[in-house]
Amino acid sequence: YVFSGGRSDAVYNGVKVGRFRNQYHTLAAEFDYRYIDNPKLKLYSTVGIGATLYRQQYLPDEGKKATDYLVHFNFQLTPIGVKYGERVGVFAEAGFGYKGILCAGVFYRL
């Protein structure tokens, strides 16, 4: 599951007339191929396929709000990713798709 969202002003002829709120919810299955798979270090590639629900709301300063929904196919291709750590660690991935071009972070396993 991946979530992202944002907010922005709606401007018409240089005057703010309201706000936009966008949300993206992606649910996908991912498959990894591991080149190196030892307890602390993993080097891998990932392919993911799923769907994204896009929701956009227009919140005018005056009048009635409007909401649009769109569902579309989505994917992730990550030719190279690396994880270091067992229970706590870090990861970095380079690819294209619903995770973006570069993705990095910290993880904790229960």
Side-chain angles (χ1 to χ4, degrees), residues 25-88:
H25 300 270
T26 300
L27 186 61
E30 293 186 347
F31 307 92
D32 290 343
Y33 177 79
R34 296 184 182 164
Y35 305 105
I36 298 174
D37 189 15
N38 70 47
K40 285 202 180 253
L41 178 66
K42 296 182 183 349
L43 184 65
Y44 57 92
S45 294
T46 301
V47 174
I49 189 167
T52 296
L53 169 65
Y54 169 70
R55 177 182 176 211
Q56 181 179 58
Q57 285 186 306
Y58 171 57
L59 307 163
D61 291 339
E62 297 179 13
K64 195 174 177 184
K65 76 176 182 179
T67 304
D68 285 327
Y69 296 93
L70 176 67
V71 176
H72 65 89
F73 162 79
N74 216 332
F75 69 96
Q76 177 69 33
L77 298 174
T78 303
I80 191 72
V82 63
K83 286 183 185 176
Y84 182 79
E86 290 183 71
R87 281 192 68 155
V88 177

Side-chain angles (χ1 to χ4, degrees), residues 8-20 58-61:
S8 63
D9 290 336
V11 178
Y12 181 73
N13 285 335
V15 177
K16 181 182 172 283
V17 294
R19 293 177 294 130
F20 284 107
Y58 171 57
L59 307 163
D61 291 339

